[in-house]
Coordinates of all heavy atoms in Angstrom, one line a residue:
Y132 N -65.0 16.5 -68.2 CA -65.4 17.9 -68.0 C -64.5 18.6 -67.4 O -64.2 19.9 -67.7 CB -66.8 17.9 -67.4 CG -67.9 17.3 -68.2 CD1 -68.6 16.1 -67.7 CD2 -68.4 18.0 -69.4 CE1 -69.6 15.6 -68.4 CE2 -69.4 17.5 -70.1 CZ -70.0 16.2 -69.6 OH -71.1 15.7 -70.3
Y133 N -63.8 18.1 -66.3 CA -62.9 18.8 -65.5 C -61.7 19.3 -66.3 O -61.3 20.5 -66.3 CB -62.4 18.0 -64.4 CG -61.5 18.7 -63.4 CD1 -61.9 19.4 -62.4 CD2 -60.0 18.7 -63.6 CE1 -61.2 20.2 -61.5 CE2 -59.3 19.5 -62.8 CZ -59.8 20.2 -61.9 OH -58.9 21.0 -61.0
L134 N -61.3 18.4 -67.1 CA -60.0 18.8 -68.0 C -60.3 20.0 -68.9 O -59.5 20.8 -69.1 CB -59.6 17.5 -68.7 CG -58.2 17.8 -69.5 CD1 -57.1 18.1 -68.5 CD2 -57.8 16.5 -70.3
A135 N -61.5 19.8 -69.6 CA -61.9 21.0 -70.5 C -62.1 22.3 -69.7 O -61.6 23.4 -70.2 CB -63.2 20.7 -71.1
L136 N -62.6 22.4 -68.4 CA -62.7 23.5 -67.7 C -61.4 24.0 -67.1 O -61.1 25.3 -67.1 CB -63.7 23.2 -66.5 CG -65.1 23.1 -67.0 CD1 -66.0 22.6 -65.8 CD2 -65.7 24.3 -67.5
A137 N -60.6 23.1 -66.8 CA -59.3 23.4 -66.2 C -58.2 24.1 -67.2 O -57.4 24.8 -66.8 CB -58.7 22.2 -65.3
T138 N -58.4 23.6 -68.5 CA -57.4 24.0 -69.4 C -58.0 24.9 -70.5 O -57.3 25.5 -71.2 CB -56.8 22.7 -70.1 OG1 -57.9 22.1 -70.8 CG2 -56.2 21.7 -69.2
G139 N -59.3 24.9 -70.6 CA -59.8 25.7 -71.6 C -59.7 25.1 -73.1 O -60.0 25.6 -74.2
M140 N -59.4 23.8 -73.1 CA -59.4 22.9 -74.3 C -60.7 22.9 -75.0 O -61.7 22.7 -74.2 CB -58.8 21.6 -74.1 CG -57.3 21.7 -73.7 SD -56.6 20.1 -73.2 CE -56.8 19.2 -74.7
R141 N -60.7 22.6 -76.2 CA -62.0 22.5 -77.0 C -62.4 21.0 -76.8 O -61.6 20.1 -76.6 CB -61.8 22.6 -78.4 CG -61.5 24.1 -78.8 CD -61.1 24.3 -80.3 NE -60.5 25.5 -80.6 CZ -59.3 26.0 -80.4 NH1 -58.5 25.2 -80.1 NH2 -59.1 27.2 -80.8
R142 N -63.6 20.8 -77.0 CA -64.2 19.4 -76.9 C -63.5 18.4 -77.7 O -63.1 17.2 -77.2 CB -65.8 19.3 -77.1 CG -66.4 18.0 -77.1 CD -67.8 18.0 -77.4 NE -68.0 18.6 -78.6 CZ -69.3 18.8 -79.1 NH1 -70.3 18.5 -78.5 NH2 -69.5 19.4 -80.3
G143 N -63.3 18.7 -79.0 CA -62.6 17.7 -80.0 C -61.2 17.5 -79.4 O -60.7 16.4 -79.7
E144 N -60.5 18.4 -78.9 CA -59.2 18.3 -78.5 C -59.2 17.4 -77.2 O -58.2 16.5 -77.1 CB -58.6 19.7 -77.9 CG -58.4 20.5 -79.2 CD -57.8 22.0 -78.7 OE1 -58.1 22.4 -77.7 OE2 -57.3 22.6 -79.7
V145 N -60.0 17.5 -76.2 CA -60.0 16.8 -75.1 C -60.4 15.3 -75.4 O -59.7 14.3 -75.0 CB -61.1 17.3 -74.0 CG1 -61.3 16.3 -72.9 CG2 -60.7 18.6 -73.4
L146 N -61.3 15.1 -76.3 CA -61.7 13.8 -76.8 C -60.7 13.1 -77.5 O -60.8 11.8 -77.7 CB -63.1 13.8 -77.5 CG -64.2 14.2 -76.7 CD1 -65.5 14.5 -77.6 CD2 -64.6 13.2 -75.6
G147 N -59.9 13.8 -78.2 CA -58.8 13.3 -79.0 C -57.5 12.8 -78.3 O -56.6 12.3 -78.8
L148 N -57.6 13.2 -77.0 CA -56.3 12.8 -76.1 C -56.2 11.3 -75.8 O -57.2 10.6 -75.7 CB -56.4 13.5 -74.8 CG -56.2 15.0 -74.7 CD1 -56.6 15.5 -73.3 CD2 -54.9 15.3 -75.1
R149 N -54.9 10.9 -75.8 CA -54.6 9.4 -75.5 C -53.7 9.6 -74.4 O -53.0 10.7 -74.1 CB -53.9 8.8 -76.6 CG -54.9 8.7 -77.8 CD -54.1 8.4 -79.1 NE -53.2 9.5 -79.3 CZ -52.2 9.7 -80.2 NH1 -52.0 8.6 -80.8 NH2 -51.5 10.6 -80.3
W150 N -53.5 8.6 -73.5 CA -52.7 8.8 -72.3 C -51.2 9.0 -72.7 O -50.5 9.7 -72.0 CB -52.6 7.4 -71.5 CG -53.8 7.3 -70.6 CD1 -54.8 6.5 -70.7 CD2 -54.1 8.2 -69.6 NE1 -55.8 6.7 -69.8 CE2 -55.4 7.9 -69.1 CE3 -53.5 9.3 -68.9 CZ2 -55.9 8.4 -68.0 CZ3 -54.1 10.0 -68.0 CH2 -55.4 9.5 -67.5
E151 N -50.7 8.6 -73.9 CA -49.4 9.0 -74.3 C -49.1 10.4 -74.6 O -48.0 10.9 -74.8 CB -49.0 7.9 -75.5 CG -49.9 8.1 -76.7 CD -50.8 7.0 -76.8 OE1 -51.1 6.4 -75.8 OE2 -51.2 6.6 -78.0
D152 N -50.2 11.2 -74.7 CA -50.2 12.6 -75.0 C -49.9 13.4 -73.6 O -49.8 14.6 -73.6 CB -51.5 13.1 -75.6 CG -51.8 12.4 -76.9 OD1 -50.7 12.2 -77.7 OD2 -52.9 12.4 -77.4
I153 N -50.1 12.6 -72.6 CA -50.1 13.3 -71.3 C -48.8 12.9 -70.4 O -48.6 11.8 -70.2 CB -51.5 12.9 -70.4 CG1 -52.7 13.3 -71.2 CG2 -51.4 13.6 -69.1 CD1 -54.0 12.8 -70.6
N154 N -48.2 14.0 -69.9 CA -46.9 13.6 -69.2 C -47.3 14.1 -67.7 O -47.2 15.4 -67.5 CB -45.8 14.4 -69.7 CG -44.5 14.1 -68.9 OD1 -44.5 13.9 -67.8 ND2 -43.4 14.1 -69.8
L155 N -47.7 13.2 -67.0 CA -48.2 13.5 -65.5 C -46.8 13.9 -64.6 O -47.1 14.7 -63.7 CB -48.9 12.3 -64.9 CG -50.1 11.9 -65.5 CD1 -50.8 10.7 -65.0 CD2 -51.1 13.2 -65.4
E156 N -45.7 13.3 -64.9 CA -44.6 13.6 -64.2 C -44.1 15.1 -64.3 O -43.8 15.8 -63.3 CB -43.4 12.7 -64.5 CG -43.6 11.3 -64.2 CD -44.5 10.5 -65.1 OE1 -44.5 10.8 -66.3 OE2 -45.2 9.6 -64.7
E157 N -44.2 15.6 -65.5 CA -43.9 17.0 -65.7 C -44.9 17.9 -65.8 O -44.8 19.1 -65.9 CB -43.0 17.1 -67.0 CG -41.6 16.3 -66.9 CD -40.7 16.4 -68.2 OE1 -40.9 17.5 -68.9 OE2 -40.1 15.5 -68.4
G158 N -46.3 17.4 -65.8 CA -47.5 18.3 -65.6 C -47.8 18.9 -67.0 O -48.2 20.2 -66.8
Y159 N -47.9 18.3 -68.0 CA -48.3 18.9 -69.3 C -49.0 17.8 -70.2 O -48.7 16.7 -70.0 CB -47.2 19.6 -70.0 CG -46.2 18.8 -70.6 CD1 -46.3 18.3 -71.9 CD2 -45.1 18.4 -69.9 CE1 -45.4 17.4 -72.6 CE2 -44.0 17.6 -70.5 CZ -44.2 17.1 -71.8 OH -43.3 16.3 -72.3
L160 N -49.6 18.3 -71.1 CA -50.2 17.4 -72.2 C -49.9 18.0 -73.6 O -49.6 19.3 -73.7 CB -51.8 17.1 -72.0 CG -52.8 18.3 -72.0 CD1 -53.1 18.8 -73.4 CD2 -53.9 17.9 -71.3
Q161 N -49.9 17.3 -74.5 CA -49.6 17.6 -76.0 C -51.0 17.5 -76.8 O -51.6 16.4 -76.7 CB -48.6 16.8 -76.7 CG -47.2 17.2 -76.1 CD -46.7 18.5 -76.6 OE1 -46.0 19.1 -75.8 NE2 -46.8 18.9 -77.8
V162 N -51.4 18.6 -77.4 CA -52.5 18.5 -78.3 C -52.0 18.1 -79.6 O -51.4 19.0 -80.3 CB -53.5 19.7 -78.3 CG1 -54.5 19.6 -79.3 CG2 -53.9 20.1 -77.0
T163 N -52.3 16.9 -80.1 CA -51.8 16.4 -81.5 C -52.9 15.9 -82.3 O -52.7 15.8 -83.5 CB -50.8 15.3 -81.3 OG1 -51.3 14.2 -80.6 CG2 -49.6 15.8 -80.5
K164 N -54.0 15.6 -81.7 CA -55.2 14.9 -82.5 C -56.4 15.6 -81.9 O -56.4 16.1 -80.7 CB -55.3 13.4 -82.3 CG -53.9 12.7 -82.6 CD -54.1 12.1 -84.1 CE -52.9 11.2 -84.3 NZ -52.0 11.6 -85.4
T165 N -57.5 15.5 -82.8 CA -58.8 15.9 -82.3 C -59.8 15.1 -82.9 O -59.5 14.2 -83.8 CB -59.2 17.3 -82.8 OG1 -59.2 17.3 -84.3 CG2 -58.2 18.5 -82.3
I166 N -61.0 15.2 -82.4 CA -62.1 14.4 -82.8 C -63.1 15.4 -83.6 O -63.4 16.5 -82.9 CB -62.9 13.6 -81.8 CG1 -62.0 12.5 -81.3 CG2 -64.2 13.1 -82.3 CD1 -62.7 11.6 -80.2
S167 N -63.5 15.0 -84.7 CA -64.4 16.0 -85.4 C -65.5 15.3 -86.1 O -65.4 14.0 -86.3 CB -63.7 16.8 -86.4 OG -63.0 16.1 -87.4
K168 N -66.5 15.9 -86.6 CA -67.6 15.2 -87.4 C -67.3 15.3 -88.9 O -66.9 16.4 -89.3 CB -69.0 16.0 -87.1 CG -69.7 15.6 -85.8 CD -71.0 16.2 -85.8 CE -71.7 15.9 -84.5 NZ -73.1 16.4 -84.4
N169 N -67.7 14.4 -89.5 CA -67.6 14.3 -91.0 C -68.9 14.7 -91.5 O -69.8 15.2 -90.9 CB -67.0 13.0 -91.6 CG -68.2 11.9 -91.4 OD1 -69.2 12.1 -91.0 ND2 -67.6 10.7 -91.6
K170 N -69.0 14.8 -92.9 CA -70.2 15.4 -93.7 C -71.5 14.5 -93.4 O -72.6 15.0 -93.4 CB -69.9 15.4 -95.1 CG -69.0 16.5 -95.4 CD -68.8 16.5 -97.0 CE -67.7 17.6 -97.3 NZ -67.4 17.7 -98.7
Q171 N -71.1 13.2 -92.9 CA -72.3 12.4 -92.6 C -72.7 12.4 -91.2 O -73.7 11.7 -90.8 CB -72.0 10.8 -93.0 CG -71.7 10.6 -94.5 CD -70.5 11.0 -95.0 OE1 -69.5 11.1 -94.3 NE2 -70.4 11.4 -96.3
G172 N -71.9 13.2 -90.4 CA -72.5 13.5 -89.0 C -71.7 12.4 -88.1 O -72.0 12.4 -86.9
R173 N -70.9 11.6 -88.6 CA -70.2 10.7 -87.8 C -68.8 11.3 -87.2 O -68.2 12.0 -88.0 CB -69.9 9.4 -88.7 CG -71.0 8.8 -89.1 CD -70.8 7.5 -89.9 NE -70.9 6.6 -89.0 CZ -70.6 5.3 -89.0 NH1 -70.1 4.8 -90.3 NH2 -70.5 4.4 -88.0
Y174 N -68.3 10.9 -86.1 CA -67.2 11.3 -85.5 C -65.9 10.7 -86.0 O -65.9 9.4 -86.2 CB -67.3 11.2 -84.0 CG -68.2 12.3 -83.3 CD1 -69.5 11.8 -83.0 CD2 -67.7 13.5 -83.1 CE1 -70.4 12.8 -82.5 CE2 -68.8 14.4 -82.5 CZ -70.0 14.0 -82.4 OH -70.9 14.9 -81.8
I175 N -64.8 11.4 -86.3 CA -63.8 10.8 -86.8 C -62.5 11.1 -85.8 O -62.4 12.2 -85.4 CB -63.3 11.6 -88.2 CG1 -64.4 11.3 -89.2 CG2 -61.9 11.1 -88.5 CD1 -64.2 12.0 -90.5
L176 N -62.0 10.1 -85.4 CA -60.9 10.1 -84.5 C -59.5 10.3 -85.1 O -59.2 9.8 -86.2 CB -60.8 8.8 -83.6 CG -59.7 8.7 -82.6 CD1 -59.7 9.7 -81.5 CD2 -59.7 7.2 -82.1
G177 N -58.6 11.2 -84.5 CA -57.4 11.2 -84.9 C -57.0 12.2 -86.0 O -55.8 12.2 -86.6
K178 N -57.9 13.2 -86.3 CA -57.7 14.2 -87.1 C -56.7 15.3 -86.5 O -56.8 15.5 -85.3 CB -59.0 14.9 -87.6 CG -58.8 15.9 -88.8 CD -60.1 16.4 -89.1 CE -60.0 17.2 -90.2 NZ -61.3 17.9 -90.6
T179 N -55.6 15.7 -87.3 CA -54.8 16.8 -86.6 C -55.5 18.0 -86.6 O -56.4 18.4 -87.4 CB -53.5 16.8 -87.5 OG1 -53.9 17.3 -88.8 CG2 -52.7 15.6 -87.6
P180 N -55.1 18.9 -85.4 CA -55.7 20.3 -85.4 C -55.5 21.0 -86.6 O -54.5 20.9 -87.4 CB -54.9 20.8 -84.1 CG -54.5 19.6 -83.4 CD -54.2 18.6 -84.4
K181 N -56.4 22.0 -86.7 CA -56.5 22.8 -88.0 C -55.3 23.8 -88.3 O -54.7 23.8 -89.4 CB -57.7 23.5 -88.1 CG -59.0 22.9 -88.3 CD -60.2 23.8 -88.4 CE -61.5 22.9 -88.5 NZ -62.7 23.9 -88.5
T182 N -54.7 24.2 -87.3 CA -53.7 25.2 -87.4 C -52.5 24.8 -86.6 O -52.6 24.0 -85.6 CB -54.1 26.6 -86.8 OG1 -54.4 26.5 -85.4 CG2 -55.4 27.2 -87.5
E183 N -51.3 25.3 -86.9 CA -50.0 25.0 -86.2 C -50.2 25.5 -84.7 O -49.7 24.8 -83.7 CB -48.9 25.7 -86.8 CG -47.6 25.2 -86.3 CD -47.3 23.8 -86.8 OE1 -47.8 23.4 -87.9 OE2 -46.7 23.2 -86.0
D184 N -50.9 26.6 -84.4 CA -51.1 27.1 -83.1 C -51.9 26.1 -82.2 O -52.0 26.1 -81.0 CB -51.7 28.5 -83.0 CG -50.7 29.7 -83.5 OD1 -49.5 29.3 -83.4 OD2 -51.2 30.5 -83.9
S185 N -52.8 25.4 -82.8 CA -53.6 24.4 -82.2 C -52.9 23.2 -81.7 O -53.2 22.5 -80.7 CB -54.9 24.0 -83.0 OG -55.7 25.1 -83.2
R186 N -51.7 22.8 -82.3 CA -50.9 21.7 -81.9 C -49.9 22.4 -80.9 O -49.0 23.2 -81.2 CB -50.1 21.2 -83.2 CG -51.0 20.5 -84.1 CD -50.3 20.2 -85.4 NE -51.2 20.3 -86.4 CZ -51.0 21.1 -87.6 NH1 -49.8 21.7 -87.6 NH2 -51.9 21.2 -88.5
R187 N -50.3 22.2 -79.6 CA -49.5 22.9 -78.6 C -49.4 22.0 -77.3 O -50.0 21.0 -77.2 CB -50.3 24.0 -78.2 CG -51.6 23.9 -77.7 CD -52.6 25.2 -77.7 NE -53.8 25.0 -76.9 CZ -54.8 24.2 -77.4 NH1 -54.8 23.8 -78.6 NH2 -56.0 24.1 -76.7
R188 N -48.5 22.5 -76.5 CA -48.3 22.0 -75.2 C -49.2 22.7 -74.2 O -49.2 24.0 -74.1 CB -46.9 22.1 -74.7 CG -46.6 21.5 -73.2 CD -45.2 21.6 -73.0 NE -44.5 20.6 -73.7 CZ -43.3 20.2 -73.4 NH1 -42.6 20.8 -72.4 NH2 -42.7 19.2 -74.0
V189 N -50.0 22.0 -73.3 CA -50.8 22.7 -72.3 C -50.4 22.2 -70.9 O -50.2 21.1 -70.6 CB -52.4 22.2 -72.6 CG1 -53.2 22.7 -71.4 CG2 -52.8 22.6 -73.9
M190 N -49.9 23.2 -70.2 CA -49.5 23.0 -68.8 C -50.7 22.7 -68.0 O -51.7 23.3 -68.0 CB -48.7 24.2 -68.3 CG -47.5 24.6 -69.1 SD -46.3 23.2 -69.4 CE -45.7 22.8 -67.8
L191 N -50.4 21.8 -67.0 CA -51.4 21.4 -66.0 C -51.1 21.6 -64.6 O -49.9 21.5 -64.2 CB -51.6 19.8 -66.0 CG -51.9 19.2 -67.5 CD1 -51.9 17.7 -67.5 CD2 -53.2 19.7 -67.9
D192 N -52.1 22.2 -63.8 CA -51.7 22.6 -62.5 C -51.8 21.1 -61.6 O -52.2 20.2 -62.0 CB -52.8 23.5 -61.9 CG -54.2 23.0 -62.0 OD1 -54.5 21.8 -61.5 OD2 -55.0 23.7 -62.5
A193 N -51.3 21.3 -60.4 CA -51.1 20.1 -59.5 C -52.5 19.4 -59.4 O -52.5 18.1 -59.3 CB -50.5 20.5 -58.2
E194 N -53.5 20.1 -59.1 CA -54.8 19.5 -58.9 C -55.3 18.7 -60.1 O -55.8 17.5 -59.9 CB -55.9 20.5 -58.5 CG -57.2 19.9 -58.1 CD -58.2 20.9 -57.8 OE1 -57.9 22.1 -57.6 OE2 -59.4 20.6 -57.4
T195 N -55.1 19.2 -61.3 CA -55.5 18.5 -62.6 C -54.7 17.2 -62.7 O -55.1 16.2 -63.1 CB -55.3 19.4 -63.7 OG1 -56.1 20.6 -63.4 CG2 -55.7 18.7 -65.0
V196 N -53.4 17.3 -62.5 CA -52.4 16.2 -62.5 C -52.9 15.1 -61.4 O -53.0 13.9 -61.8 CB -51.1 16.5 -62.2 CG1 -50.1 15.3 -62.1 CG2 -50.4 17.4 -63.3
A197 N -53.3 15.5 -60.3 CA -53.8 14.4 -59.3 C -55.0 13.9 -59.6 O -55.2 12.6 -59.6 CB -54.0 15.1 -58.0
I198 N -56.0 14.7 -60.3 CA -57.3 14.0 -60.8 C -56.9 13.1 -62.0 O -57.5 12.0 -62.0 CB -58.2 15.2 -61.3 CG1 -58.7 15.9 -60.0 CG2 -59.4 14.6 -62.1 CD1 -59.5 17.2 -60.2
L199 N -56.0 13.4 -62.9 CA -55.7 12.6 -63.9 C -55.1 11.3 -63.5 O -55.4 10.1 -64.0 CB -54.8 13.3 -65.0 CG -55.5 14.2 -65.8 CD1 -54.6 15.1 -66.6 CD2 -56.7 13.8 -66.7
Q200 N -54.2 11.4 -62.5 CA -53.5 10.2 -61.9 C -54.6 9.2 -61.4 O -54.5 8.0 -61.6 CB -52.5 10.5 -60.9 CG -51.3 11.2 -61.5 CD -50.2 11.7 -60.4 OE1 -50.8 12.2 -59.4 NE2 -49.0 11.7 -60.7
E201 N -55.4 9.6 -60.6 CA -56.6 8.9 -60.0 C -57.4 8.3 -61.1 O -57.8 7.1 -61.0 CB -57.4 9.8 -59.1 CG -58.5 9.1 -58.4 CD -59.4 9.9 -57.4 OE1 -58.8 11.0 -56.9 OE2 -60.5 9.6 -57.3
H202 N -57.7 9.1 -62.2 CA -58.6 8.5 -63.2 C -57.8 7.3 -64.0 O -58.5 6.3 -64.3 CB -58.8 9.7 -64.2 CG -59.8 9.1 -65.4 ND1 -61.0 8.7 -65.2 CD2 -59.5 9.2 -66.7 CE1 -61.6 8.4 -66.4 NE2 -60.6 8.6 -67.2
R203 N -56.6 7.6 -64.1 CA -55.7 6.5 -64.8 C -55.7 5.2 -64.0 O -55.8 4.2 -64.6 CB -54.3 7.0 -65.2 CG -53.6 5.9 -66.1 CD -52.3 6.7 -66.4 NE -51.8 5.9 -67.6 CZ -50.7 6.2 -68.2 NH1 -50.1 7.3 -68.0 NH2 -50.3 5.5 -69.2
L204 N -55.7 5.4 -62.7 CA -55.6 4.2 -61.8 C -57.0 3.4 -61.8 O -57.0 2.3 -61.8 CB -55.2 4.6 -60.3 CG -53.8 5.0 -60.2 CD1 -53.7 5.6 -58.7 CD2 -52.9 3.8 -60.3
K205 N -58.1 4.4 -61.9 CA -59.4 3.7 -62.0 C -59.6 2.9 -63.2 O -60.1 1.9 -63.4 CB -60.5 4.7 -61.8 CG -60.7 5.3 -60.4 CD -61.7 6.3 -60.3 CE -61.9 6.8 -58.9 NZ -62.9 7.9 -58.9
Q206 N -59.1 3.6 -64.3 CA -59.2 2.9 -65.6 C -58.4 1.6 -65.7 O -59.0 0.6 -66.2 CB -58.6 3.8 -66.9 CG -59.6 4.7 -67.2 CD -59.0 5.5 -68.6 OE1 -57.8 5.5 -68.8 NE2 -60.0 5.9 -69.3
A207 N -57.3 1.6 -65.1 CA -56.4 0.3 -65.0 C -57.2 -0.8 -64.3 O -57.2 -1.9 -64.7 CB -55.1 0.7 -64.5
A208 N -57.7 -0.3 -63.1 CA -58.5 -1.4 -62.3 C -59.7 -1.9 -62.9 O -59.9 -3.0 -63.0 CB -58.9 -0.6 -60.9
E209 N -60.5 -1.1 -63.7 CA -61.6 -1.5 -64.4 C -61.2 -2.4 -65.5 O -61.8 -3.4 -65.7 CB -62.3 -0.4 -65.0 CG -63.1 0.4 -64.0 CD -63.9 1.7 -64.6 OE1 -63.6 2.0 -65.8 OE2 -64.3 2.6 -63.7
A210 N -60.1 -2.1 -66.2 CA -59.6 -3.0 -67.4 C -59.3 -4.5 -66.8 O -59.5 -5.4 -67.4 CB -58.4 -2.3 -68.0
K211 N -58.6 -4.3 -65.7 CA -58.1 -5.6 -64.9 C -59.3 -6.4 -64.6 O -59.3 -7.7 -64.7 CB -57.2 -5.3 -63.7 CG -56.8 -6.6 -63.1 CD -55.8 -6.2 -61.8 CE -55.4 -7.5 -61.1 NZ -54.5 -7.1 -60.1
D212 N -60.3 -5.7 -63.9 CA -61.7 -6.5 -63.6 C -62.3 -7.1 -64.8 O -62.9 -8.1 -64.6 CB -62.6 -5.4 -62.8 CG -62.1 -5.1 -61.5 OD1 -61.2 -5.9 -60.9 OD2 -62.6 -4.3 -60.9
L213 N -62.3 -6.3 -65.9 CA -62.9 -6.9 -67.1 C -62.0 -7.9 -67.9 O -62.6 -8.5 -68.8 CB -63.3 -5.7 -68.0 CG -64.3 -4.7 -67.4 CD1 -64.4 -3.5 -68.4 CD2 -65.6 -5.4 -67.2
G214 N -60.8 -8.0 -67.6 CA -60.1 -9.1 -68.2 C -59.3 -8.5 -69.3 O -59.0 -8.9 -70.3

């Protein structure tokens, strides 16, 4: 939720992010994929954004970068704990 509020990104854009889309050192992310619903109401991962303007770089403020760094560390710890 924080990332959507901090950046103004759409839900499908936020859900389509992968860690390789985020550059924490330089403080930006790339919107290259989205998640959307198909005609059967199922979510589809990896669809490209509809317009060229939707494929964009989003700059991140220092607080958002810090929150993402913390989240990434928590994910890594959970993955390690789960094997």
